[in-house]
Amino acid sequence: MRIRELQDELGLFLLVDQDADDSALDREVRAVLTTDLADPGRFLAGGELVLTGLAWWREDGDAEPFVRILDRAGVTVLAAGEAEHGLVPDDLVHACRRHGLPLMAVDPDISFASITEHVLRRLQPRAVGSLAAVVERHRRLLTGQGGPDAVLELLQHSIGLDAHLLSPTGRQIAGARPPLRARTAMALAGRYLAARRSREPAPHEVTIGDRHYSLVPVRSATDPSTPSTATGEAAELGDWLLVVAADTSNRPASDEQLLDRIVELAVDARSAHERTKVALNDLARQLVDLLHSHVPPGEIPVRLSSTAQAVVSRKDTWQRCQFVVAEGEWRGTGPIPAPALRVLLEEALIQPDDPVPVSSQDIAATVDHEQAVLFVLVPEPTDGLPEPALDRVALQQRLTAVLARWLGPTGSVSIGVSSPVAAAEQARRALDAARTALRIARDHPDRVAVRGFDDLTSHILTLLPLIPAETRRAFASRLLGPLRDHDSRHRTDLLPTLERFLDCDASWTTCAAQLHLHVNSLRHRIARIEQITGRDLARLETRLDFLAALKAC
């Protein structure tokens, strides 16, 4: 394709000609690159049409180094968009004249995507076939490393092809930058789910606004327990989705070869991801089995040294985490398959940019009967700042948005979240608390309900006024009387210690810090409270009883 064809067929306006005659118009364009980098040199091989929106230009003098890089690389022509600044800056015009680089202006009504697609259709098939070979080489390099971003960036900067790898909820796993807008990504995921359910052949061609996209499923069956091998509608949650910002229908064979290579790359990335998650999830199963056993709490750290917590955290010691337990009804006809629910919860929990960041490698998940069970690493507390914990309100909002099109009119999901667990000895108690919170969530009218330990406290306080005052006082006296008597006779502080321990959600480190005690001293006090009352504070029911007694006083 030649420069004059850009002018005649696309309406681009030539601002700077290389020569006084028309010879520049016959220069050949062999590739197209869209960039707003101040230094795009590493992506240039010569013969390109370079499209730029001029986001890199801020003042006079910025154009000279940019144009010098393009000229040294042998770029055929530069096309600058007028949308950013209202016109092409004189600074860029003068720099192109000094270097003899043809410069064209792109009207704001002409999209770079339409220019790119037009040029690619006119290029010789061998050019795209050559790029497919480059992608194949990159694919081999990246196999097992789980990172397709480099190849998708290569596509973007080499031929202006924007490709994104999405989860079934619209979360971007990899791809061009900037990422798709959240609303667009969710709309594309929704369109894909609809096309999949109607059994339309892939790729699925979709138009959103004035932009055309091709949607290609990326499936892998590395882990037979994932929904990718499930039957029915739950299977769709196991897919990844490759989104190509172009119309791939009626494409030539060379384009089809390129798309096939990209899909293979995505399959490789998905398989590598699943291999990692299989290991984590198998070990999560071992953790749940251990917590169901009769192993004394003091032995749990030793038993966990080679199980889920060590693998997830890549450390040999227990890391601070929270338990999340969920179950749901599928369109009112039966329970949601727990593996599918596990995938949905992981999607909603992954938030790398949140105040409490969570990545895929911070989550280990398994299935326990009809429930999905996950434990999620959360950061250690920082002095003077609130204790980091998962945002249950934000989690409920994200899940509500994701599940709206998937659950149907009568489906529901209930989720219980524990308080942060700072020590392995608290793990059994935290799982118990999450399951109790789940029972509270079941009674909530919302289709997606997320509840935690704070909600259990509120539930108890709501019920207390319904109990006669005399009964409340007798209950509190029977439970707390022995501690009051001991404190009075021995001048100890066991009752205030118990109250503070419950206020800290049974967190040893937080409670010890607030009482200005060593953790071992606090453990000694709690053991003494258990001895005097004959109650086990490791049990959630015991802590709730004590909490109710304190509030009933």
Side-chain angles (χ1 to χ4, degrees), residues 283-300:
L283 291 170
R285 176 70 261 169
Q286 295 179 34
L287 172 61
V288 171
D289 289 343
L290 177 61
L291 297 180
H292 284 328
S293 70
H294 297 290
V295 173
E299 294 183 18
I300 290 179

Side-chain angles (χ1 to χ4, degrees), residues 417-432:
V417 181
S418 76
S419 299
V421 181
E425 295 91 331
Q426 300 172 330
R428 183 176 290 137
R429 185 166 58 205
L431 180 58
D432 189 18

Side-chain angles (χ1 to χ4, degrees), residues 112-428:
F112 283 2
S114 63
I115 296 172
T116 299
E117 290 181 19
H118 184 86
V119 172
L120 290 178
R121 283 195 297 269
R122 296 293 307 275
L123 291 177
Q124 294 296 326
R126 61 181 175 83
V128 179
S130 175
L131 183 61
V134 174
V135 172
E136 172 63 16
R137 288 197 298 273
H138 277 68
R139 184 185 72 81
R140 291 175 181 172
L141 287 172
L142 290 171
T143 297
Q145 297 180 18
D149 282 287
V151 174
L152 298 183
E153 182 184 76
L154 171 71
L155 295 172
Q156 184 184 38
H157 289 291
S158 298
I159 62 173
L161 182 66
D162 287 350
H164 307 265
L165 194 57
L166 304 182
S167 75
T169 65
R171 177 178 61 87
Q172 177 152 313
I173 298 166
R177 294 292 185 269
L180 293 168
R181 292 182 178 179
R183 184 173 298 178
T184 300
M186 287 196 67
L188 289 169
R191 299 282 185 89
Y192 166 71
L193 292 180
R196 191 188 193 285
R197 290 170 183 173
S198 61
R199 301 185 182 279
E200 296 177 16
H204 312 294
E205 306 300 331
V206 172
T207 300
I208 295 180
D210 60 351
R211 196 76 186 269
H212 195 94
Y213 300 92
S214 296
L215 313 180
V216 184
V218 177
R219 301 185 182 117
S220 176
T222 302
D223 179 1
S225 71
T226 62
S228 57
T229 58
T231 58
E233 292 173 287
E236 63 201 18
L237 296 175
D239 293 344
W240 280 6
L241 176 63
L242 180 67
V243 176
V244 180
D247 185 352
T248 59
S249 61
N250 301 317
R251 59 190 183 276
S254 55
D255 287 358
E256 187 171 355
Q257 180 188 22
L258 174 59
L259 184 60
D260 288 344
R261 296 290 81 74
I262 301 172
V263 172
E264 288 177 9
L265 164 72
V267 169
D268 289 343
R270 176 138 179 78
S271 296
H273 168 81
E274 287 189 346
R275 284 193 295 271
T276 301
K277 295 306 293 184
V278 167
L280 292 176
N281 296 343
D282 282 349
L283 291 170
R285 176 70 261 169
Q286 295 179 34
L287 172 61
V288 171
D289 289 343
L290 177 61
L291 297 180
H292 284 328
S293 70
H294 297 290
V295 173
E299 294 183 18
I300 290 179
V302 177
R303 300 290 187 99
L304 289 178
S305 62
S306 62
T307 56
Q309 187 64 274
V311 174
V312 173
S313 64
R314 295 166 296 280
K315 296 181 180 179
D316 293 331
T317 57
W318 180 271
Q319 299 296 293
R320 192 169 178 270
C321 69
Q322 289 180 258
F323 282 86
V324 179
V325 182
E327 62 185 21
E329 287 291 319
W330 172 252
R331 301 179 184 271
T333 61
I336 296 175
L341 195 54
R342 185 190 74 193
V343 172
L344 276 174
L345 273 174
E346 283 203 54
E347 283 296 311
L349 286 166
I350 294 173
Q351 296 291 323
D353 299 324
D354 266 16
V356 178
V358 177
S359 71
S360 177
Q361 297 307 306
D362 293 328
I363 302 171
T366 188
V367 170
D368 194 21
H369 298 97
E370 296 296 334
Q371 295 178 346
V373 180
L374 301 86
F375 67 99
V376 185
L377 292 185
V378 291
E380 295 291 336
T382 303
D383 291 342
L385 296 176
E387 205 175 22
L390 298 173
D391 187 333
R392 298 198 305 275
V393 175
L395 175 61
Q396 179 165 323
Q397 291 173 343
R398 287 195 296 268
L399 274 170
T400 300
V402 167
L403 291 171
R405 62 170 57 90
W406 186 75
L407 273 181
T410 58
S412 64
V413 171
S414 303
I415 300 164
V417 181
S418 76
S419 299
V421 181
E425 295 91 331
Q426 300 172 330
R428 183 176 290 137

Side-chain angles (χ1 to χ4, degrees), residues 42 79 107 117 173 303 305 461 475 507 509 526:
R42 65 185 183 278
D107 187 275
E117 290 181 19
I173 298 166
R303 300 290 187 99
S305 62
L461 296 181
F475 173 73
S507 169
T509 53
I526 296 300

